[in-house]
Amino acid sequence: MKYLNFFLIFLFPLSLSAENLKLPEVVVEYVCNTKFIIGANVLETRTFKSKNKKRIDTIIQNIPQSVIIDYEKQTATWVWPKTYSYLSVPLKKENQEALKKATNIIMLKKIKSDYLSGFEVDLYKLKVNLPDGTIEESTRWISKHGITLKEVGFIEGDEGKFHFYSEYSNVKVFEQNDDLFKVPDGFKIAPVDQLDDVNDLLRTMVKRS
């Protein structure tokens, strides 16, 4: 998949910063629908975010599945409701740190304040160096809670220039029930080869462990 590290940052958000340049951090728990488009690739999800955990529900090749990320325990768990199965893998902390260090903001400018979907937002122009050497330039609509409600821009590298668009909709800010981030009772551990049915993005997330 083109620009894989860009998708990884989308699913494993980092506190992007450089010397004197830092985006607002998320300070609330929330649930929302998400849509992310880059080139011909489209990812639509239902996302639940608590203080230290995130759950992403989506459908890939007509197969419902969830990814539960525990940032404190540094684990990612895939859950397949149709087969009552799951698989957990560790996320190496050194890989997370390497990704964070390799992602640098080289330009950040607040343009103005506005409203989007009922939220007060600040608009930022930014330019980011991604780990694979590509450049991202975009405009972000960031709520006062630190949630990026919308982002429009492009990334450019050896494979060309691709425009992207991401949007959070139906955003609800409230404390999330911890049961949302647990594997349901009765689910069994899936064989590793079940990951063959998962797209390149999710397979590579496993390889990061």
Side-chain angles (χ1 to χ4, degrees):
M1 178 178 285
K2 293 181 175 66
Y3 301 116
L4 191 52
N5 279 316
F6 189 83
F7 278 97
L8 293 176
I9 292 169
F10 173 67
L11 292 178
F12 291 86
L14 304 171
S15 178
L16 296 179
S17 63
E19 187 175 358
N20 299 321
L21 297 176
K22 188 173 183 179
L23 286 169
E25 295 184 5
V26 178
V27 295
V28 294
E29 300 186 10
Y30 64 89
V31 58
C32 67
N33 297 327
T34 67
K35 186 172 187 177
F36 187 86
I37 304 171
I38 180 169
N41 299 296
V42 180
L43 181 67
E44 293 186 271
T45 76
R46 179 73 168 165
T47 298
F48 306 83
K49 178 69 172 68
S50 68
K51 182 179 180 180
N52 295 312
K53 299 175 183 177
K54 176 180 276 191
R55 170 178 160 178
I56 303 164
D57 295 347
T58 190
I59 298 176
I60 298 174
Q61 297 178 353
N62 296 319
I63 300 174
Q65 53 198 267
S66 300
V67 184
I68 301 171
I69 305 161
D70 189 319
Y71 297 104
E72 190 172 42
K73 294 181 179 179
Q74 286 291 290
T75 60
T77 301
W78 278 259
V79 181
W80 294 275
K82 280 191 173 182
T83 56
Y84 299 95
S85 59
Y86 73 96
L87 184 65
S88 295
V89 296
L91 300 172
K92 286 187 177 180
K93 188 174 182 179
E94 54 266 32
N95 290 350
Q96 299 286 313
E97 292 300 320
L99 183 61
K100 185 183 297 185
K101 289 179 181 178
T103 305
N104 295 310
I105 295 177
I106 55 179
M107 186 274 287
L108 178 64
K109 181 180 179 181
K110 181 179 175 181
I111 304 171
K112 64 176 182 177
S113 296
D114 203 345
Y115 285 87
L116 180 66
S117 302
F119 290 93
E120 185 178 0
V121 296
D122 293 323
L123 274 71
Y124 289 88
K125 283 276 191 184
L126 73 156
K127 188 174 183 179
V128 179
N129 275 330
L130 298 176
D132 59 1
T134 60
I135 299 292
E136 171 204 336
E137 289 192 46
S138 67
T139 301
R140 293 192 186 188
W141 286 253
I142 302 178
S143 76
K144 297 300 183 180
H145 310 103
I147 304 171
T148 298
L149 297 177
K150 182 179 177 181
E151 184 173 13
V152 179
F154 66 87
I155 54 176
E156 187 170 11
D158 293 339
E159 298 182 59
K161 184 175 182 179
F162 289 81
H163 289 269
F164 70 87
Y165 173 88
S166 70
E167 180 182 49
Y168 283 16
S169 61
N170 195 25
V171 181
K172 307 292 184 184
V173 176
F174 62 94
E175 185 175 349
Q176 299 299 300
N177 189 326
D178 197 55
D179 288 343
L180 287 168
F181 308 97
K182 297 177 181 177
V183 176
D185 292 338
F187 278 50
K188 297 181 179 180
I189 297 177
V192 175
D193 59 12
Q194 183 161 335
L195 287 178
D196 290 340
D197 294 329
V198 184
N199 69 352
D200 289 341
L201 169 62
L202 299 185
R203 279 206 303 273
T204 302
M205 287 164 60
V206 174
K207 291 177 183 177
R208 292 176 67 200
S209 66

